[in-house]
Amino acid sequence: MRKILIANPKGGSGKSTLSTHLASWFSWQETKVMLGDLDRQHSSQRWLDRRPSNLPRIERWEIGSDQIARPPKGSQVAVLDSPACFGGSKLKKALKVVDRVIIPILPSAFDLWACQDFLAELAETKAVRREEVQVAAVAMRVNPRSNAPQQLAEFLRQFEIPLIATIRDTQLYNLTIQRGMTLFDLPASKNQRDVQEWRPLIQWVLQR
Ligand SMILES: Nc1ncnc2c1ncn2[C@@H]1O[C@H](COP(=O)(O)OP(=O)(O)OP(=O)(O)O)[C@@H](O)[C@H]1O
Ligand SMILES: [Mg+2]
């Protein structure tokens, strides 16, 4: 089973967008997918509530209140969305359950500064140092004409975190999310360019 935590303590960095997209992509692969939400705002859960019933099913991962419950047996992929200001003991608990962490980051100075301590904390965790948990980052809401992703990749190097994908800024995300859908749920002709951007991220998750 693949268990993936999506985390960045900076609010609005794209955690719920990334969580819902990952869950949705796997749902189309005839994979049993669970989506969990540690956030009191319940963005991912609210999205799941709106998901049209004719689309491939994504199961709710009931997390529990204190310890994070392991995803039920039989699930193949479990995605865990997390809130802003996430870190410390909560991060440690989550790292006991997952085997991958993906960090969505907006490539702007404020966003980089805001997650610096979190990245350092993550890199020092035993599970990460022992490579029991793999970590990667994704640049979110990128202006394709900017060189911000290169700067972000350079920033991440100090933590030995690879930048595995770059997702451009487009209204399509909001338009699909509000309908309980993702870009992967749209007809292929509408969004090929944007869907392609997710490919390296999916490949990374699929790696053994
Ligand atoms: N690639 C994108 N293009 C355009 N808008 C985007 C993109 N990715 C995310 N957004 C928008 O950015 C906002 C923040 O995204 P999201 O809610 O996923 O972040 P978050 O990290 O989960 O926020 P929070 O910390 O509040 O939980 C949302 O309005 C979302 O629709
Ligand atoms: Mg969120």
Side-chain angles (χ1 to χ4, degrees):
M1 190 196 313
R2 293 182 163 81
K3 291 157 285 182
I4 310 144
L5 170 69
I6 313 299
N8 183 339
K10 180 80 165 81
S13 55
K15 296 177 288 292
S16 302
T17 304
L18 185 43
S19 303
T20 50
H21 275 74
L22 209 49
S24 155
W25 188 85
F26 276 103
S27 75
W28 280 100
Q29 316 307 309
E30 296 182 7
T31 303
K32 185 165 182 204
V33 192
M34 314 290 303
L35 179 59
D37 195 347
L38 292 168
D39 193 350
R40 285 197 194 148
Q41 289 178 29
H42 302 304
S43 305
S44 287
Q45 293 304 325
R46 288 180 208 267
W47 171 84
L48 197 51
D49 291 341
R50 282 170 180 72
R51 187 159 175 80
S53 56
N54 61 324
L55 293 178
R57 198 169 161 70
I58 297 169
E59 309 275 346
R60 195 177 299 267
W61 174 7
E62 302 294 351
I63 303 298
S65 50
D66 186 23
Q67 297 294 334
I68 299 169
R70 291 186 181 276
K73 286 210 170 83
S75 12
Q76 291 158 293
V77 173
V79 180
L80 186 55
D81 190 7
S82 64
C85 302
F86 188 67
S89 61
K90 288 183 180 158
L91 172 65
K92 288 210 169 65
K93 280 180 191 169
L95 290 177
K96 289 205 169 92
V97 177
V98 301
D99 42 42
R100 282 168 201 265
V101 182
I102 304 179
I103 306 154
I105 308 182
L106 268 62
S108 82
F110 285 138
D111 286 74
L112 269 51
W113 296 335
C115 70
Q116 210 160 351
D117 291 348
F118 173 78
L119 297 180
E121 183 187 359
L122 196 57
E124 282 164 19
T125 315
K126 209 186 277 179
V128 173
R129 279 194 278 114
R130 289 182 178 165
E131 298 184 6
E132 291 159 2
V133 173
Q134 308 290 322
V135 183
V138 175
M140 296 296 277
R141 307 196 65 168
V142 174
N143 174 347
R145 284 177 299 231
S146 78
N147 68 347
Q150 286 87 328
Q151 288 174 359
L152 175 56
E154 178 64 34
F155 164 81
L156 290 168
R157 219 159 281 147
Q158 62 187 299
F159 307 102
E160 298 183 26
I161 296 175
L163 181 67
I164 52 168
T166 294
I167 309 296
R168 75 168 177 139
D169 191 301
T170 153
Q171 272 305 306
L172 261 184
Y173 286 97
N174 185 37
L175 293 174
T176 51
I177 290 288
Q178 66 193 4
R179 293 162 61 199
M181 295 164 68
T182 70
L183 267 55
F184 302 120
D185 301 316
L186 298 176
S189 57
K190 288 207 169 173
N191 57 359
Q192 266 317 293
R193 171 181 168 188
D194 293 294
V195 162
Q196 287 302 324
E197 291 181 337
W198 290 84
R199 194 166 281 274
L201 186 155
I202 304 288
Q203 292 300 336
W204 184 81
V205 172
L206 290 174
Q207 271 170 23
R208 278 276 150 221

Coordinates of all heavy atoms in Angstrom, one line a residue, residues 6-21 37 39 41 43-44 81-85 104 106 139-142 167-175 177 194 197-198, ligand 1:
I6 N 0.5 14.8 2.5 CA 0.7 16.1 1.8 C 0.8 17.1 2.8 O -0.2 17.3 3.6 CB -0.5 16.3 0.8 CG1 -0.9 15.1 0.0 CG2 -0.3 17.6 -0.1 CD1 0.2 14.6 -0.9
A7 N 1.9 17.8 2.9 CA 2.1 18.7 4.0 C 2.9 20.0 3.6 O 3.8 19.9 2.8 CB 2.8 18.0 5.2
N8 N 2.5 21.1 4.2 CA 3.3 22.3 4.2 C 2.6 23.2 5.2 O 1.4 23.5 5.1 CB 3.3 23.0 2.8 CG 4.1 24.2 2.8 OD1 4.4 24.8 3.8 ND2 4.5 24.6 1.6
P9 N 3.3 23.7 6.2 CA 2.7 24.5 7.3 C 2.2 25.9 6.7 O 1.3 26.5 7.4 CB 3.8 24.7 8.3 CG 5.1 24.5 7.6 CD 4.8 23.5 6.5
K10 N 2.6 26.3 5.6 CA 2.1 27.5 5.0 C 0.7 27.3 4.5 O 0.5 26.4 3.7 CB 3.1 28.0 3.9 CG 2.7 29.3 3.2 CD 3.1 30.5 4.0 CE 3.1 31.8 3.2 NZ 1.7 32.3 3.1
G11 N -0.2 28.2 4.9 CA -1.6 28.1 4.4 C -1.6 28.4 2.9 O -0.9 29.2 2.4
G12 N -2.6 27.8 2.3 CA -2.8 28.1 0.9 C -1.7 27.6 -0.1 O -1.7 28.2 -1.2
S13 N -0.9 26.7 0.3 CA 0.2 26.3 -0.6 C -0.2 25.2 -1.6 O 0.5 24.9 -2.5 CB 1.4 25.7 0.3 OG 0.9 24.7 1.1
G14 N -1.5 24.7 -1.5 CA -2.0 23.8 -2.5 C -2.1 22.3 -2.0 O -2.2 21.4 -2.8
K15 N -2.1 22.2 -0.6 CA -2.2 20.8 -0.1 C -3.4 20.1 -0.5 O -3.4 18.9 -0.9 CB -2.1 20.9 1.5 CG -0.8 21.5 2.0 CD -0.8 21.6 3.5 CE -1.7 22.7 4.0 NZ -1.2 24.1 3.7
S16 N -4.6 20.8 -0.3 CA -5.9 20.1 -0.6 C -6.0 19.9 -2.1 O -6.6 18.8 -2.5 CB -7.0 20.9 -0.1 OG -6.9 21.1 1.3
T17 N -5.5 20.8 -2.9 CA -5.5 20.6 -4.4 C -4.7 19.4 -4.8 O -5.2 18.5 -5.6 CB -5.0 21.9 -5.1 OG1 -5.7 23.0 -4.6 CG2 -5.1 21.8 -6.6
L18 N -3.5 19.3 -4.2 CA -2.7 18.1 -4.5 C -3.3 16.8 -4.0 O -3.3 15.8 -4.7 CB -1.3 18.4 -3.8 CG -0.1 17.5 -4.0 CD1 0.0 17.0 -5.5 CD2 1.2 18.2 -3.6
S19 N -3.8 16.8 -2.7 CA -4.4 15.6 -2.1 C -5.5 15.1 -3.0 O -5.6 13.9 -3.3 CB -5.0 15.9 -0.7 OG -3.9 16.4 0.1
T20 N -6.5 16.0 -3.4 CA -7.6 15.6 -4.1 C -7.2 15.1 -5.5 O -7.8 14.1 -6.0 CB -8.7 16.7 -4.2 OG1 -8.0 17.9 -4.7 CG2 -9.3 17.0 -2.9
H21 N -6.2 15.8 -6.1 CA -5.8 15.3 -7.5 C -5.1 14.0 -7.5 O -5.4 13.1 -8.3 CB -4.9 16.4 -8.1 CG -5.7 17.5 -8.8 ND1 -6.4 18.4 -8.1 CD2 -6.0 17.7 -10.1 CE1 -7.1 19.2 -9.0 NE2 -6.8 18.8 -10.2
D37 N -8.2 13.4 6.0 CA -8.1 14.9 6.2 C -7.8 15.2 7.6 O -8.7 15.0 8.5 CB -9.4 15.5 5.6 CG -9.2 17.0 5.4 OD1 -8.2 17.6 5.9 OD2 -10.1 17.6 4.8
D39 N -7.2 18.2 8.6 CA -7.5 19.7 8.7 C -8.9 19.9 9.2 O -9.9 19.3 8.7 CB -7.3 20.3 7.3 CG -7.3 21.8 7.4 OD1 -7.6 22.4 8.5 OD2 -7.0 22.5 6.4
Q41 N -10.6 22.5 8.7 CA -11.4 23.1 7.7 C -12.1 22.1 6.8 O -13.0 22.4 6.0 CB -10.5 23.9 6.8 CG -9.9 25.2 7.4 CD -9.0 25.9 6.4 OE1 -9.1 25.8 5.2 NE2 -8.0 26.6 7.0
S43 N -11.3 20.6 4.0 CA -11.4 20.9 2.5 C -11.5 19.7 1.7 O -12.4 19.6 0.9 CB -10.2 21.7 2.1 OG -10.0 22.9 2.8
S44 N -10.6 18.7 2.0 CA -10.7 17.5 1.1 C -11.9 16.7 1.4 O -12.5 16.1 0.5 CB -9.4 16.6 1.5 OG -8.3 17.2 0.9
D81 N -4.3 14.5 3.7 CA -4.2 16.0 3.6 C -4.0 16.5 5.0 O -4.4 15.9 6.0 CB -5.6 16.6 3.0 CG -5.5 18.0 2.7 OD1 -4.4 18.6 2.8 OD2 -6.5 18.6 2.3
S82 N -3.2 17.6 5.1 CA -2.9 18.1 6.5 C -3.2 19.6 6.5 O -3.3 20.3 5.5 CB -1.5 17.8 6.8 OG -0.6 18.5 6.0
P83 N -3.3 20.2 7.7 CA -3.6 21.6 7.8 C -2.4 22.5 7.8 O -1.3 22.1 7.8 CB -4.3 21.7 9.2 CG -3.6 20.6 10.0 CD -3.3 19.5 9.0
A84 N -2.7 23.8 7.7 CA -1.6 24.8 7.9 C -1.0 24.7 9.3 O -1.7 24.1 10.2 CB -2.2 26.2 7.6
C85 N 0.2 25.1 9.5 CA 0.8 25.1 10.8 C 1.1 23.7 11.3 O 1.2 23.4 12.5 CB 0.0 25.8 11.9 SG -0.3 27.6 11.5
P104 N 3.7 20.6 -1.4 CA 3.4 21.6 -2.4 C 3.9 23.0 -1.9 O 3.7 23.4 -0.8 CB 1.9 21.6 -2.5 CG 1.4 21.2 -1.1 CD 2.5 20.3 -0.5
L106 N 4.4 27.2 -3.1 CA 4.3 28.3 -4.1 C 5.7 28.9 -4.2 O 6.3 29.2 -3.2 CB 3.3 29.4 -3.6 CG 1.9 29.2 -4.0 CD1 1.2 28.0 -3.6 CD2 1.1 30.4 -3.6
A139 N 6.1 22.4 -7.2 CA 5.9 23.8 -7.3 C 4.5 24.0 -7.8 O 4.0 23.5 -8.8 CB 6.9 24.4 -8.3
M140 N 3.7 24.8 -7.0 CA 2.3 25.0 -7.3 C 2.0 26.4 -7.8 O 2.7 27.4 -7.4 CB 1.4 24.8 -6.0 CG 1.5 23.4 -5.5 SD 0.8 22.1 -6.6 CE -1.0 22.3 -6.3
R141 N 1.0 26.6 -8.6 CA 0.5 27.9 -9.1 C 1.6 28.7 -9.8 O 1.8 29.9 -9.5 CB -0.1 28.7 -8.0 CG -1.1 28.0 -7.2 CD -2.0 28.9 -6.4 NE -2.7 29.8 -7.2 CZ -3.7 30.5 -6.8 NH1 -4.0 30.5 -5.5 NH2 -4.3 31.3 -7.6
V142 N 2.4 28.0 -10.7 CA 3.6 28.6 -11.3 C 3.2 29.4 -12.5 O 2.3 29.0 -13.3 CB 4.6 27.5 -11.6 CG1 5.7 28.1 -12.4 CG2 5.1 26.8 -10.4
I167 N 3.4 22.8 -11.4 CA 2.0 22.9 -11.8 C 1.6 24.4 -12.0 O 1.8 25.2 -11.1 CB 1.1 22.3 -10.7 CG1 1.5 20.9 -10.3 CG2 -0.4 22.4 -11.1 CD1 1.4 19.8 -11.3
R168 N 1.2 24.7 -13.2 CA 0.9 26.1 -13.5 C -0.4 26.6 -12.9 O -1.3 25.8 -12.5 CB 0.9 26.3 -15.0 CG -0.3 25.9 -15.7 CD -0.4 26.4 -17.1 NE -1.6 25.9 -17.8 CZ -2.4 26.6 -18.5 NH1 -2.1 27.8 -18.8 NH2 -3.5 26.0 -19.1
D169 N -0.5 27.9 -12.8 CA -1.7 28.6 -12.3 C -2.7 28.6 -13.3 O -2.5 29.2 -14.4 CB -1.3 30.0 -11.8 CG -2.3 30.6 -11.0 OD1 -3.5 30.8 -11.5 OD2 -2.1 31.0 -9.8
T170 N -3.9 28.0 -13.1 CA -5.0 28.1 -14.0 C -6.3 28.0 -13.2 O -6.4 27.2 -12.3 CB -5.0 27.1 -15.1 OG1 -6.3 26.8 -15.6 CG2 -4.3 25.8 -14.7
Q171 N -7.3 28.7 -13.7 CA -8.7 28.7 -13.1 C -9.3 27.3 -13.1 O -10.2 27.1 -12.4 CB -9.6 29.7 -14.0 CG -9.5 31.1 -13.5 CD -9.9 31.2 -12.0 OE1 -10.9 30.7 -11.6 NE2 -9.0 31.8 -11.2
L172 N -8.8 26.5 -14.0 CA -9.4 25.1 -14.1 C -9.5 24.4 -12.8 O -10.4 23.6 -12.5 CB -8.5 24.3 -15.1 CG -9.0 24.1 -16.5 CD1 -8.0 23.2 -17.2 CD2 -10.4 23.6 -16.6
Y173 N -8.5 24.7 -11.9 CA -8.4 24.0 -10.6 C -9.6 24.4 -9.8 O -10.3 23.5 -9.3 CB -7.1 24.3 -9.9 CG -6.0 23.5 -10.6 CD1 -5.1 24.1 -11.5 CD2 -5.8 22.2 -10.3 CE1 -4.1 23.4 -12.1 CE2 -4.8 21.5 -10.9 CZ -4.0 22.1 -11.9 OH -3.0 21.4 -12.5
N174 N -9.9 25.6 -9.7 CA -11.0 26.1 -8.9 C -12.3 25.6 -9.5 O -13.2 25.1 -8.8 CB -11.0 27.6 -8.7 CG -12.1 28.0 -7.8 OD1 -12.4 27.4 -6.8 ND2 -12.7 29.1 -8.1
L175 N -12.4 25.7 -10.8 CA -13.7 25.3 -11.5 C -14.0 23.8 -11.3 O -15.2 23.4 -11.1 CB -13.5 25.6 -13.0 CG -13.5 27.1 -13.3 CD1 -13.2 27.3 -14.8 CD2 -14.8 27.8 -12.9
I177 N -12.6 21.7 -8.8 CA -12.7 21.4 -7.3 C -14.1 21.7 -6.8 O -14.7 20.9 -6.0 CB -11.6 22.2 -6.5 CG1 -10.2 21.7 -6.8 CG2 -11.9 22.2 -5.0 CD1 -9.9 20.3 -6.3
D194 N -2.3 20.6 -18.9 CA -2.2 20.6 -17.4 C -2.1 19.2 -16.9 O -1.4 19.0 -15.9 CB -3.4 21.4 -16.9 CG -3.4 22.9 -17.3 OD1 -2.5 23.5 -16.8 OD2 -4.2 23.3 -18.1
E197 N 1.4 17.9 -16.7 CA 2.3 18.4 -15.7 C 2.3 17.5 -14.5 O 3.3 17.6 -13.7 CB 1.8 19.8 -15.3 CG 2.0 20.9 -16.4 CD 1.6 22.3 -15.9 OE1 0.8 22.4 -15.0 OE2 2.1 23.2 -16.5
W198 N 1.3 16.7 -14.3 CA 1.2 15.9 -13.1 C 2.0 14.6 -13.3 O 2.2 13.8 -12.3 CB -0.2 15.5 -12.8 CG -1.0 16.7 -12.2 CD1 -1.6 17.7 -13.0 CD2 -1.2 17.1 -10.9 NE1 -2.1 18.7 -12.1 CE2 -1.9 18.3 -10.8 CE3 -0.8 16.5 -9.7 CZ2 -2.3 18.9 -9.7 CZ3 -1.2 17.1 -8.5 CH2 -1.9 18.3 -8.5
Ligands
LIG1 N1 -2.4 25.4 -9.9 C1 -3.4 26.2 -9.4 N2 -3.9 27.2 -10.2 C2 -4.8 28.0 -9.7 N3 -5.3 28.0 -8.4 C3 -4.8 27.0 -7.6 C4 -3.8 26.1 -8.1 N4 -3.5 25.3 -7.0 C5 -4.3 25.7 -6.0 N5 -5.0 26.7 -6.4 C6 -5.9 27.5 -5.5 O1 -5.2 28.0 -4.4 C7 -5.9 28.1 -3.2 C8 -5.2 27.3 -2.1 O2 -5.1 25.9 -2.5 P1 -5.4 24.8 -1.4 O3 -6.7 25.1 -0.7 O4 -5.3 23.5 -2.1 O5 -4.2 25.1 -0.4 P2 -4.0 24.4 1.0 O6 -2.6 24.3 1.3 O7 -4.8 23.2 1.2 O8 -4.7 25.6 2.0 P3 -4.9 25.4 3.6 O9 -3.5 25.6 4.2 O10 -5.8 26.5 3.9 O11 -5.4 24.1 3.8 C9 -7.3 27.5 -3.6 O12 -8.2 28.5 -3.8 C10 -7.0 26.7 -4.8 O13 -8.1 26.5 -5.6

